[in-house]
Amino acid sequence: MNMVSGRHRLLVVVAFVATFAGSLILVAPAAEAVTFAPRVITGIPAAPKEGETVYQKVVKLETVTAQVTAGRTAYLYSRLDAYDSAHVNLVDNEVICSGAGSGSAVMGENIDPPTGREDRQSISIVTRLLVEATTSGTMTCSIYLRTISLTYNVSSMTVGGELRFAGTDIKEDVSGQPIQVAQPAGSPTTLEAGKPLYISTLDRTLPTDYTEVAVIADTEFQSCWPDDADGDGNADCGSSDTSTARFTLYVRLMNGSTTCASAPVARTDVTVNDQTHHKAIPLYTKVSRVPGCDRLYAYVKAEYLSGHTGGIQGTATNLTDETPPDPKHSSWMTHAFAVPS
């Protein structure tokens, strides 16, 4: 297979092409939750050859709405399933909210065709986030597929999934802010031997009526980063080269600097090859509230284990949501948040 390097975010400009083939479940008016049936996405653009400009295909899959109150926060959950991919293709699951509150997040991976790795031929990507209601009224959120082929072939795949408001009345911290944090924009932060990274740190004072707290941390891990460490102009990794790392979510409830309770540690080790390129790492744990302990302190520890160095991807920028050049937006990638459980 003639496959293009996984460094698609550096090689292509993204654009909106709102076309797809397949059935569509229509919900009118939009509900707070929707499950959409599998549909075939065709016309996925081939990767650009030298001197070409090619745009990602962006497909709005479904929309939900909810009535929200200013000063409260909504919790959005989405799942995008992808399979039957004709080639190695990018699969990004992006959620964008507008109206009474705005926010967006995108998580993604590359999918393999039937000739690829068996565990990469059918994938599910979860994107979830908190969105603050800045006014009272209707919040509208949509789930999008962002995709492009990593080969010089126009491609296709099948997708399905769900989008829902998992909560619409979540209280914010005592300062009036959603209990959420995201890694900033910029090049991926390199993860290398002996130098763990501490990311997605939450340090907040909880409202009084949280009796149990769930912390959710989603990390976007990129393999083979930097991809040209020696600066010779050639990629350091082949498609089968891998990066292996460990991700651990720690959560504590504290009274000042004193720890009152700790949540069970959530940990996973992942190995990502250069063909998969990047992988969404979801972590979750929860802890019961202890009287007098209002401080929530949580973070993810990322550790290099073996193989090529990797990177932690921050906020994605310059994502176009219709045909270029405008408008453009940013979406969170690596981020964490807390909700009552």
Side-chain angles (χ1 to χ4, degrees):
M1 177 181 294
N2 186 15
M3 196 194 79
V4 178
S5 162
R7 291 162 293 281
H8 56 277
R9 295 192 188 277
L10 303 179
L11 293 175
V12 296
V13 183
V14 292
F16 184 87
V17 185
T19 59
F20 60 88
S23 61
L24 172 64
I25 297 176
L26 297 177
V27 180
E32 289 191 7
V34 63
T35 298
F36 48 96
R39 68 201 67 172
V40 178
I41 307 297
T42 60
I44 296 173
K49 297 179 180 179
E50 186 174 356
E52 288 185 331
T53 298
V54 176
Y55 303 104
Q56 284 182 359
K57 182 168 187 167
V58 183
V59 182
K60 182 188 286 189
L61 298 170
E62 262 301 351
T63 297
V64 293
T65 64
Q67 296 302 305
V68 294
T69 302
R72 297 297 176 95
T73 294
Y75 172 20
L76 273 297
Y77 175 92
S78 72
R79 189 193 78 253
L80 180 63
D81 305 320
Y83 53 96
D84 288 345
S85 183
H87 305 91
V88 179
N89 292 328
L90 166 68
V91 183
D92 273 1
N93 172 6
E94 183 174 31
V95 175
I96 302 176
C97 296
S98 60
S102 62
S104 60
V106 59
M107 305 296 290
E109 305 174 7
N110 292 343
I111 189 173
D112 277 6
T115 54
R117 286 178 48 183
E118 185 174 352
D119 64 335
R120 300 301 308 161
Q121 296 174 26
S122 177
I123 62 175
S124 293
I125 299 170
V126 171
T127 299
R128 46 198 174 173
L129 75 158
L130 300 182
V131 180
E132 181 183 18
T134 53
T135 61
S136 297
T138 302
M139 183 180 294
T140 301
C141 301
S142 298
I143 179 173
Y144 296 84
L145 166 69
R146 310 186 73 95
T147 184
I148 192 169
S149 178
L150 276 297
T151 72
Y152 296 129
N153 302 284
V154 176
S155 195
S156 63
M157 74 176 86
T158 300
V159 299
E162 65 172 313
L163 173 66
R164 57 185 166 89
F165 282 91
T168 58
D169 193 28
I170 296 171
K171 287 190 175 180
E172 300 170 342
D173 68 14
V174 295
S175 68
Q177 298 298 314
I179 307 174
Q180 182 167 238
V181 67
Q183 292 297 109
S187 297
T189 304
T190 302
L191 181 61
E192 53 189 316
K195 297 181 179 180
L197 299 175
Y198 299 88
I199 58 176
S200 300
T201 300
L202 286 168
D203 190 354
R204 302 293 185 88
T205 302
L206 296 172
T208 57
D209 57 352
Y210 273 48
T211 58
E212 189 175 48
V213 185
V215 176
I216 296 150
D218 294 331
T219 302
E220 192 73 50
F221 177 57
Q222 180 175 329
S223 67
C224 297
W225 175 265
D227 51 9
D228 184 17
D230 55 15
D232 65 357
N234 297 311
D236 296 338
C237 285
S239 63
S240 62
D241 290 332
T242 62
S243 302
T244 300
R246 171 172 294 163
F247 298 89
T248 308
L249 172 60
Y250 296 95
V251 176
R252 292 180 292 183
L253 290 179
M254 306 179 71
N255 181 350
S257 59
T258 301
T259 298
C260 308
S262 297
V265 169
R267 174 175 292 151
T268 187
D269 296 350
V270 297
T271 297
V272 183
N273 66 19
D274 193 44
Q275 181 163 297
T276 300
H277 185 260
H278 56 295
K279 184 173 178 60
I281 314 295
L283 294 172
Y284 169 92
T285 191
K286 61 183 180 179
V287 62
S288 295
R289 186 72 172 272
V290 176
C293 297
D294 299 332
R295 182 185 178 193
L296 171 69
Y297 188 74
Y299 62 92
V300 173
K301 182 181 180 181
E303 300 171 87
Y304 168 92
L305 294 182
S306 63
H308 201 284
T309 57
I312 307 300
Q313 292 185 285
T315 298
T317 59
N318 293 320
L319 299 175
T320 54
D321 45 21
E322 60 182 270
T323 302
D326 290 313
K328 295 181 180 180
H329 69 275
S330 298
S331 275
W332 288 354
M333 297 192 79
T334 298
H335 63 288
F337 59 93
V339 295
S341 176

